[in-house]
Amino acid sequence: MFVVKRSQENPILVPQRDHHWEAFATFNMSVVKHGRHIHGLYRAVSSKDPLRTPDQISTIGIAKSLDGFHFKDRKQFIEPLEEWEKFGCEDPRVTFFEGRYYIFYTALSVYPFAPEGIRTAVAISDDLKKIKEKHRVTTFNSKAMTLFPERINGKVTLLFSAHTDGAAAKMVIAQADEISEFWSPKFWESWYTKMNEHEIGKIRRNDYDQVEVGATPIKTKYGWLIIYSHIQNFFPGGDSGPRFGIEALLLDLEDPRKIIGRTKGPLVVPEESYELSGHVSNIVFPSGALLDKDILTIYYGASDTTACSASVNIDALVSTLSVEVGWRYHFKRLEGNPIIVPIENHPWESKATFNPAAIDLGHRVHILYRALSNDNTSTIGYALSVDGTHITERIGEPVYIPREDFETKKIEGGNSGCEDPRLTKIGTNLYMCYTAFDGIGPPRVAVTSIGVKDFLSHRWKWKKPEIITPNDVDDKDACVFPEKVGGKFLILHRIGTDICADFLKSLDFKKETVNKCIKIFGPRSGMWDSTKVGIAAPPIRTKKGWILLYHAVSNRHHTYRVGAVLLDLKDPTTVLSRSTDPIFEPEELYEKEGIVNNVVFPCGMVVRDGLLYIYYGGADKVVGIATMALDILVGALAKARDY
């Protein structure tokens, strides 16, 4: 898993109104280290000139920075002086290669703009102070060309997007013995006849998507890291309008046409105001990347108006993508899954057994799972595991059943009862939060409790449950926080799509109930958690912060996956970092097919011998277990605080 964080300095480059050549937009920055400075080359769009056609033109500017965020000494660097670029120079990508700086860019030779007039060019500089020579490169429609920073098997290697305008782009590789071959039309005549052989493996997820090369490749121990643009529903016929996102590929070090790893979804999507509104709204487009020690900074254009940056720990990102070690950064299933399945001759649990709470008491893991009968009544069953992975005992009757009017079935055959328990130990008592549903009103949170001694002795002396959330509000996925915060008890719950919190003076719910939604976090549009989020199990305290797992539903695939956040130790309503990628998702048949397909839904977790165990429901049908090293989870989230 990995965490991507935007710079607090964003946007890091904005138009300068007193520079006519960059008065309208400054975006799509590519960066390179030169001495003490970081040089950023960017696309600059001029103010409008009513005497010209077109009335605005793109050129390429350059600026320098000591920290990669604050750029100064801005000047125009590449101007459209040649016939083949007379209508603009766009989107530079700079590479220092064998002692010189090569800036590949998009050259526009016709207006109105058309594919045959959109090709790539290169400017060469010895010192980034002046351009020594320029060449037109491709003889066909292409964009987003960048040079690998070193030879691959003795070959100079280019990566670019072919046929980007008017057709689905191909991300392709070109190789030559000498770099000057790339501005020879004869080279491209030969190359073009075999273009399909040079294509990087399938990148577009469906026929409606579009891809384009982003930043100059970064060499890592596992492969070449490529940051690129993936646009969902770019072409007509998709399930919605275009959604721009930044993604990553890992290419083989020896054969860069071979994909050896990739992100399953975007690293960054338009979320902030400067990404949602601008010259062209709702765009994030990657154009540069810079590695400094273990932090990779991604530079991107926002709404075709400003330049921005976001950072990620390179080891966490690349390790997650790597086939060799990527499994360590995700939960690993128990080989004996599912561990709890419906029992046909137990009417109360004959249809489904899922969404289990879990707690480690007396060196044993106690599991309370949601059981569903054939008439769709939910009760709570009990199972015990001595080693945390195998079921040692399972009681043949429910240990908790609907008792109050707010959870008693109102519609024959409809869903009702006590759903999705979560357990917290406070002092000598166990508090169980669950979703109470009568089949008519919206789901609400109920809480009951039992003494630890009674629980361990299987004396099911549960206290009378109390509804703790407001009337007529869909509120569920709740737990009592394991410790007091500022002398008060904290309740986590979900209203609608967001995870919320409220502070209570006591756990006497006859006197005090939840009446606030202090938002902790919510869905992220365009991401894997775009529709709604809810807590998994009660959080676990670590030295770096509280680890809270959460489930989320995606808008595009309607799949339940699991992510993680790190909450502040002193103020758990503050999110310190949040996993960019999911760390667990449906893969096995028992997770993909059931009462609700494509669901993993944990409600319980415990820590044993450095492993974090999650107990989860698969497809609303069965119970499974998965594990992950706690230090990897905490480390990945904690590192994000450093950038």
Side-chain angles (χ1 to χ4, degrees), residues 318-356:
V318 174
S319 296
T320 302
L321 299 182
S322 168
V323 174
E324 295 179 42
V325 297
W327 60 270
R328 299 177 188 168
Y329 291 80
H330 298 88
F331 277 93
K332 182 180 179 181
R333 291 162 181 80
L334 184 72
E335 289 184 1
N337 277 352
I339 61 163
I340 299 176
V341 298
I343 297 177
E344 192 172 331
N345 60 0
H346 289 180
W348 61 279
E349 59 175 352
S350 57
K351 188 172 184 178
T353 51
F354 59 114
N355 297 3

Coordinates of all heavy atoms in Angstrom, one line a residue, residues 318-356:
V318 N 6.5 1.4 -5.4 CA 7.1 0.4 -6.2 C 7.0 -1.0 -5.7 O 6.7 -2.0 -6.4 CB 8.6 0.7 -6.5 CG1 9.2 -0.4 -7.4 CG2 8.7 2.0 -7.3
S319 N 7.1 -1.1 -4.4 CA 7.0 -2.4 -3.7 C 5.5 -3.0 -3.9 O 5.3 -4.2 -4.1 CB 7.3 -2.4 -2.3 OG 8.7 -2.1 -2.1
T320 N 4.6 -2.1 -3.8 CA 3.2 -2.5 -4.0 C 2.9 -3.0 -5.4 O 2.2 -3.9 -5.6 CB 2.2 -1.3 -3.7 OG1 2.5 -0.9 -2.3 CG2 0.8 -1.7 -3.8
L321 N 3.6 -2.3 -6.4 CA 3.4 -2.7 -7.8 C 4.1 -3.9 -8.2 O 3.7 -4.7 -9.1 CB 3.8 -1.6 -8.7 CG 3.1 -0.2 -8.6 CD1 3.7 0.8 -9.6 CD2 1.6 -0.3 -8.8
S322 N 5.2 -4.2 -7.4 CA 6.1 -5.3 -7.8 C 5.4 -6.7 -7.6 O 4.8 -6.9 -6.5 CB 7.4 -5.3 -7.0 OG 8.1 -6.5 -7.1
V323 N 5.6 -7.6 -8.5 CA 5.1 -9.0 -8.4 C 5.8 -9.7 -7.3 O 5.3 -10.5 -6.6 CB 5.2 -9.7 -9.7 CG1 4.8 -11.2 -9.6 CG2 4.3 -9.1 -10.8
E324 N 7.1 -9.4 -7.1 CA 8.0 -10.1 -6.2 C 7.5 -9.8 -4.7 O 7.5 -10.7 -3.9 CB 9.4 -9.6 -6.3 CG 10.0 -10.0 -7.7 CD 11.5 -9.5 -7.7 OE1 12.2 -9.6 -6.7 OE2 11.9 -9.0 -8.8
V325 N 7.3 -8.6 -4.4 CA 7.0 -8.3 -3.0 C 5.7 -7.6 -2.7 O 5.3 -7.3 -1.6 CB 8.1 -7.3 -2.4 CG1 9.5 -8.1 -2.4 CG2 8.2 -6.0 -3.2
G326 N 4.9 -7.3 -3.8 CA 3.6 -6.6 -3.7 C 2.6 -7.2 -2.7 O 1.9 -6.5 -2.1
W327 N 2.7 -8.6 -2.6 CA 1.8 -9.3 -1.7 C 1.9 -8.8 -0.2 O 1.0 -8.9 0.6 CB 2.0 -10.8 -1.8 CG 3.4 -11.2 -1.4 CD1 4.4 -11.4 -2.2 CD2 3.8 -11.6 -0.1 NE1 5.5 -11.8 -1.5 CE2 5.2 -12.0 -0.2 CE3 3.2 -11.7 1.2 CZ2 5.9 -12.4 0.9 CZ3 3.9 -12.1 2.3 CH2 5.3 -12.4 2.1
R328 N 3.1 -8.4 0.2 CA 3.3 -7.9 1.5 C 2.5 -6.7 1.9 O 2.2 -6.4 3.1 CB 4.8 -7.6 1.8 CG 5.7 -8.8 1.6 CD 7.1 -8.4 1.8 NE 8.1 -9.4 1.4 CZ 9.4 -9.2 1.3 NH1 9.9 -8.0 1.5 NH2 10.2 -10.2 1.0
Y329 N 2.1 -5.9 0.9 CA 1.4 -4.7 1.1 C -0.1 -4.8 0.9 O -0.8 -3.8 0.8 CB 2.0 -3.6 0.1 CG 3.4 -3.2 0.4 CD1 4.5 -4.0 0.0 CD2 3.7 -2.1 1.1 CE1 5.8 -3.7 0.3 CE2 5.0 -1.7 1.4 CZ 6.0 -2.5 1.0 OH 7.3 -2.2 1.4
H330 N -0.5 -6.0 1.0 CA -2.0 -6.3 0.9 C -2.3 -7.5 1.9 O -1.4 -8.2 2.3 CB -2.4 -6.8 -0.5 CG -2.2 -5.7 -1.5 ND1 -1.0 -5.6 -2.2 CD2 -3.0 -4.7 -2.0 CE1 -1.1 -4.6 -3.1 NE2 -2.4 -4.0 -2.9
F331 N -3.5 -7.5 2.4 CA -3.9 -8.6 3.2 C -3.9 -10.0 2.5 O -4.3 -10.0 1.3 CB -5.3 -8.4 3.8 CG -5.3 -7.5 5.0 CD1 -5.5 -6.1 4.9 CD2 -5.1 -8.0 6.3 CE1 -5.4 -5.3 6.0 CE2 -5.1 -7.2 7.4 CZ -5.2 -5.8 7.2
K332 N -3.4 -11.0 3.2 CA -3.2 -12.3 2.6 C -4.3 -13.2 3.2 O -4.4 -13.3 4.5 CB -1.8 -12.9 2.9 CG -1.6 -14.3 2.3 CD -0.2 -14.8 2.6 CE 0.0 -16.1 2.0 NZ 1.4 -16.7 2.3
R333 N -5.0 -13.9 2.4 CA -6.1 -14.8 2.9 C -5.6 -16.0 3.6 O -4.5 -16.6 3.2 CB -7.0 -15.2 1.7 CG -7.8 -14.1 1.1 CD -8.3 -14.4 -0.2 NE -9.1 -13.3 -0.8 CZ -8.5 -12.2 -1.3 NH1 -7.2 -12.1 -1.4 NH2 -9.3 -11.2 -1.8
L334 N -6.4 -16.5 4.5 CA -6.1 -17.8 5.2 C -6.4 -18.9 4.2 O -7.4 -18.9 3.5 CB -6.9 -17.9 6.4 CG -6.7 -19.2 7.3 CD1 -5.4 -19.1 8.0 CD2 -7.9 -19.3 8.2
E335 N -5.5 -19.9 4.1 CA -5.7 -21.0 3.1 C -7.0 -21.8 3.4 O -7.6 -22.4 2.5 CB -4.5 -21.9 3.1 CG -3.3 -21.3 2.5 CD -2.2 -22.3 2.4 OE1 -2.3 -23.5 2.8 OE2 -1.1 -21.9 1.9
G336 N -7.4 -21.8 4.7 CA -8.6 -22.5 5.1 C -9.9 -21.8 4.9 O -11.0 -22.3 5.3
N337 N -9.9 -20.6 4.3 CA -11.1 -19.8 4.1 C -12.1 -20.6 3.2 O -11.7 -21.3 2.3 CB -10.8 -18.5 3.4 CG -10.4 -17.5 4.4 OD1 -10.4 -17.7 5.6 ND2 -9.9 -16.3 4.0
P338 N -13.4 -20.3 3.4 CA -14.0 -19.6 4.5 C -14.1 -20.4 5.8 O -14.2 -21.7 5.7 CB -15.4 -19.3 4.0 CG -15.7 -20.4 3.0 CD -14.4 -20.7 2.4
I339 N -13.9 -19.8 6.9 CA -13.9 -20.5 8.2 C -15.2 -20.7 8.8 O -15.4 -21.6 9.7 CB -12.9 -19.8 9.2 CG1 -13.5 -18.4 9.5 CG2 -11.5 -19.8 8.7 CD1 -12.8 -17.8 10.8
I340 N -16.2 -19.9 8.5 CA -17.6 -20.0 9.0 C -18.5 -20.0 7.8 O -18.5 -19.0 7.0 CB -18.0 -19.0 10.0 CG1 -17.0 -19.0 11.2 CG2 -19.4 -19.1 10.4 CD1 -17.3 -17.9 12.3
V341 N -19.4 -21.0 7.6 CA -20.3 -21.0 6.5 C -21.7 -21.4 7.1 O -21.8 -21.8 8.2 CB -19.9 -22.1 5.5 CG1 -18.6 -21.7 4.8 CG2 -19.9 -23.5 6.1
P342 N -22.8 -21.1 6.3 CA -24.1 -21.4 6.8 C -24.3 -22.9 7.1 O -23.6 -23.7 6.5 CB -25.0 -21.0 5.7 CG -24.2 -20.0 4.9 CD -22.8 -20.4 5.0
I343 N -25.1 -23.2 8.1 CA -25.4 -24.6 8.4 C -26.9 -24.8 8.1 O -27.8 -24.2 8.7 CB -25.1 -24.9 9.9 CG1 -23.6 -24.7 10.2 CG2 -25.6 -26.3 10.2 CD1 -23.3 -25.0 11.6
E344 N -27.1 -25.7 7.2 CA -28.5 -25.8 6.6 C -29.5 -26.3 7.7 O -30.7 -25.8 7.6 CB -28.5 -26.8 5.4 CG -29.7 -26.9 4.6 CD -29.6 -27.7 3.4 OE1 -28.5 -27.8 2.9 OE2 -30.6 -28.3 2.9
N345 N -29.1 -27.1 8.6 CA -30.1 -27.6 9.6 C -30.1 -26.7 10.8 O -30.7 -27.1 11.8 CB -29.8 -29.0 10.0 CG -28.4 -29.2 10.6 OD1 -27.7 -28.2 10.7 ND2 -28.1 -30.4 11.0
H346 N -29.5 -25.5 10.8 CA -29.7 -24.5 11.8 C -30.6 -23.4 11.1 O -30.0 -22.5 10.4 CB -28.4 -23.9 12.2 CG -27.6 -24.8 13.1 ND1 -26.3 -24.5 13.6 CD2 -27.8 -26.1 13.5 CE1 -25.8 -25.5 14.3 NE2 -26.7 -26.5 14.2
P347 N -31.9 -23.4 11.3 CA -32.7 -22.4 10.6 C -32.2 -21.0 10.8 O -32.3 -20.2 9.8 CB -34.1 -22.6 11.2 CG -34.1 -24.1 11.7 CD -32.7 -24.3 12.1
W348 N -31.7 -20.6 11.9 CA -31.4 -19.2 12.2 C -30.1 -18.8 11.4 O -29.9 -17.6 11.3 CB -31.2 -19.0 13.7 CG -30.0 -19.9 14.3 CD1 -30.1 -21.2 14.6 CD2 -28.7 -19.5 14.5 NE1 -28.9 -21.6 15.1 CE2 -28.0 -20.6 15.1 CE3 -28.0 -18.3 14.4 CZ2 -26.7 -20.5 15.4 CZ3 -26.7 -18.2 14.8 CH2 -26.0 -19.3 15.3
E349 N -29.3 -19.7 10.9 CA -28.1 -19.4 10.2 C -28.0 -20.2 8.9 O -26.9 -20.5 8.4 CB -26.8 -19.5 11.1 CG -26.6 -21.0 11.6 CD -25.3 -21.1 12.4 OE1 -24.5 -20.2 12.4 OE2 -25.1 -22.2 13.0
S350 N -29.1 -20.5 8.4 CA -29.1 -21.4 7.2 C -28.8 -20.7 5.9 O -28.4 -21.3 4.9 CB -30.4 -22.2 7.1 OG -31.5 -21.2 7.0
K351 N -29.1 -19.4 5.8 CA -28.9 -18.6 4.6 C -27.5 -18.0 4.5 O -26.9 -18.0 3.4 CB -30.0 -17.6 4.5 CG -30.0 -16.9 3.1 CD -31.2 -16.0 3.0 CE -31.3 -15.3 1.7 NZ -32.6 -14.5 1.5
A352 N -27.0 -17.4 5.6 CA -25.7 -16.7 5.5 C -25.1 -16.5 6.9 O -25.8 -16.4 7.9 CB -25.9 -15.3 4.8
T353 N -23.8 -16.5 6.9 CA -23.0 -16.2 8.2 C -21.9 -15.3 7.7 O -21.0 -15.7 7.0 CB -22.5 -17.5 8.8 OG1 -21.8 -18.3 7.8 CG2 -23.6 -18.4 9.3
F354 N -21.9 -14.0 8.2 CA -21.0 -13.1 7.6 C -20.8 -11.9 8.6 O -21.3 -11.8 9.7 CB -21.4 -12.6 6.3 CG -22.8 -12.0 6.2 CD1 -23.0 -10.6 5.9 CD2 -24.0 -12.7 6.5 CE1 -24.2 -10.1 5.8 CE2 -25.2 -12.2 6.4 CZ -25.4 -10.8 6.1
N355 N -19.9 -10.9 8.2 CA -19.6 -9.7 8.8 C -19.4 -9.8 10.4 O -20.2 -9.4 11.2 CB -20.8 -8.7 8.6 CG -20.9 -8.3 7.1 OD1 -20.2 -8.9 6.3 ND2 -21.8 -7.5 6.8
P356 N -18.3 -10.5 10.7 CA -18.0 -10.8 12.1 C -17.2 -9.8 12.9 O -16.3 -9.2 12.4 CB -17.2 -12.1 12.0 CG -16.4 -11.8 10.7 CD -17.3 -11.1 9.8

